């Protein structure tokens, strides 16, 4: 399960949380913009909301809005690490804070490449989560939302044979397949800040390797606030 959010709409949020809990996901990944301005009161409300999601495995990374006004300190208090590596059975998820305080630009940084490479040294299904875009997406306007060091990060992830990259930022759901690596951008979960004709949704990602001769069969679907679901892509990797 994967989404990114800000500008909370309570009635849509309630519906979406119910949808997530009915699906009983093994893992929920939230790729930032939990708040609008990074204030402690916003974070406290977000924490209560996230606690309603009935999944014990959650990975969160902050967005540029969350790091405003030193909000990254509140993020650390409530959700511990802004950078993390976690293993769930045969899945490894690495989360990286791509935000910079009071700046919209994203940046992972060469100082983090080493531990990211080490975290992905195994043979599990590999997931990298961050807030900013790794590659341009439609409807995003001028392409200043891509990581400052996007090329280097893409090369690193490709070398590590990462299967899945989860991004957020522009509230536009989209999927690219690059060198057999799916780059999945989240729309907005329950925000009023939708672009063009997009609407609130979250990504449902299903991956299994039981029937593909050792390969992974990966399906990406979008789940909307009305409860309907749309298959976006299915691939074997």
């Amino acid at each position: 399960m994967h989404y990114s959010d800000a500008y909370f709409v309570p009635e849509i949020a309630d519906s979406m949380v119910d949808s997530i809990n009915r699906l009983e996901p093994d893992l929920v990944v939230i790729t930032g913009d939990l708040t609008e301005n990074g204030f402690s009161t916003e974070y406290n409300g977000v924490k209560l909301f996230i606690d309603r999601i009935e999944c014990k495995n959650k990975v969160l990374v902050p967005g540029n809005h969350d790091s405003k006004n030193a909000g990254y300190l509140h993020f650390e208090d409530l959700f511990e690490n802004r950078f993390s590596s976690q293993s769930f059975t045969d899945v490894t998820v690495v989360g990286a804070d791509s935000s910079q305080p009071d700046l919209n630009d994203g940046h992972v940084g060469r100082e983090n490449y080493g531990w990211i490479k080490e975290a992905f040294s195994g043979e599990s299904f590999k997931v990298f989560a961050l807030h900013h875009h790794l590659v341009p997406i439609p409807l995003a306007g001028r392409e200043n939302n891509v990581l400052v060091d996007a090329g280097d990060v893409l090369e690193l992830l490709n070398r590590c044979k990462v299967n899945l990259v989860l991004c957020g930022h522009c509230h536009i759901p989209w999927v690219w397949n690059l060198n057999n690596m799916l780059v999945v951008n989240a729309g907005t979960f329950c925000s009023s800040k939708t672009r063009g004709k997009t609407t609130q949704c979250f990504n449902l990602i299903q991956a299994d390797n039981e029937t593909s001769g050792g390969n992974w069969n990966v399906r990406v679907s979008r789940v909307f606030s009305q409860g309907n679901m749309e298959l976006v892509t299915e691939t074997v990797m």
Side-chain angles (χ1 to χ4, degrees), residues 19-151:
S19 293
I20 290 177
N21 290 339
R22 282 195 298 270
L23 288 167
E24 299 181 345
D26 297 309
L27 170 68
V28 171
V29 179
I30 305 174
T31 51
D33 279 0
L34 308 170
T35 69
E36 178 62 20
N37 294 297
F39 295 135
S40 61
T41 52
E42 294 177 307
Y43 269 109
N44 291 336
V46 165
K47 181 63 167 59
L48 293 173
F49 170 70
I50 291 175
D51 285 347
R52 291 172 51 200
I53 299 175
E54 297 169 0
C55 177
K56 67 177 182 179
N57 300 320
K58 298 173 187 175
V59 175
L60 292 83
V61 293
N64 56 298
H65 283 270
D66 304 321
S67 289
K68 288 183 177 181
N69 302 303
Y72 57 89
L73 298 175
H74 301 306
F75 184 97
E76 291 172 345
D77 287 342
L78 293 176
F79 306 114
E80 297 185 4
N81 299 320
R82 294 181 291 114
F83 296 84
S84 64
S85 173
Q86 302 181 58
S87 294
F88 308 96
T89 312
D90 49 1
V91 177
T92 296
V93 182
V94 173
D97 179 8
S98 60
S99 68
Q100 303 175 87
D102 298 315
L103 294 176
N104 289 328
D105 294 338
H107 180 242
V108 171
R110 286 179 294 176
E111 67 275 13
N112 292 305
Y113 296 172
W115 76 264
I116 291 172
K117 179 182 177 181
E118 178 63 25
F120 283 134
S121 61
E123 297 299 324
S124 60
F125 186 84
K126 301 173 184 179
V127 181
F128 185 64
L130 74 165
H131 179 66
H132 290 82
H133 304 194
L134 271 181
V135 291
I137 60 171
L139 306 178
R142 293 187 177 184
E143 294 304 340
N144 58 357
N145 295 307
V146 177
L147 285 179
V148 171
D149 54 344

Side-chain angles (χ1 to χ4, degrees), residues 135-138 174-178 181-185:
V135 291
I137 60 171
W174 196 260
V175 178
W176 291 118
N177 192 332
L178 303 175
M181 176 175 68
L182 287 179
V183 181
V184 181
N185 205 75

Side-chain angles (χ1 to χ4, degrees), residues 133-199:
H133 304 194
L134 271 181
V135 291
I137 60 171
L139 306 178
R142 293 187 177 184
E143 294 304 340
N144 58 357
N145 295 307
V146 177
L147 285 179
V148 171
D149 54 344
D152 290 330
V153 174
L154 275 171
E155 190 277 333
L156 171 65
L157 300 181
N158 184 67
R159 184 158 30 98
C160 292
K161 297 182 180 179
V162 168
N163 302 98
L164 180 65
V165 178
L166 303 178
C167 312
H169 199 41
C170 269
H171 297 187
I172 300 168
W174 196 260
V175 178
W176 291 118
N177 192 332
L178 303 175
N179 292 356
N180 207 31
M181 176 175 68
L182 287 179
V183 181
V184 181
N185 205 75
T188 181
F189 179 76
C190 58
S191 166
S192 60
K193 295 174 69 174
T194 57
R195 292 190 177 219
K197 295 182 179 180
T198 62
T199 187

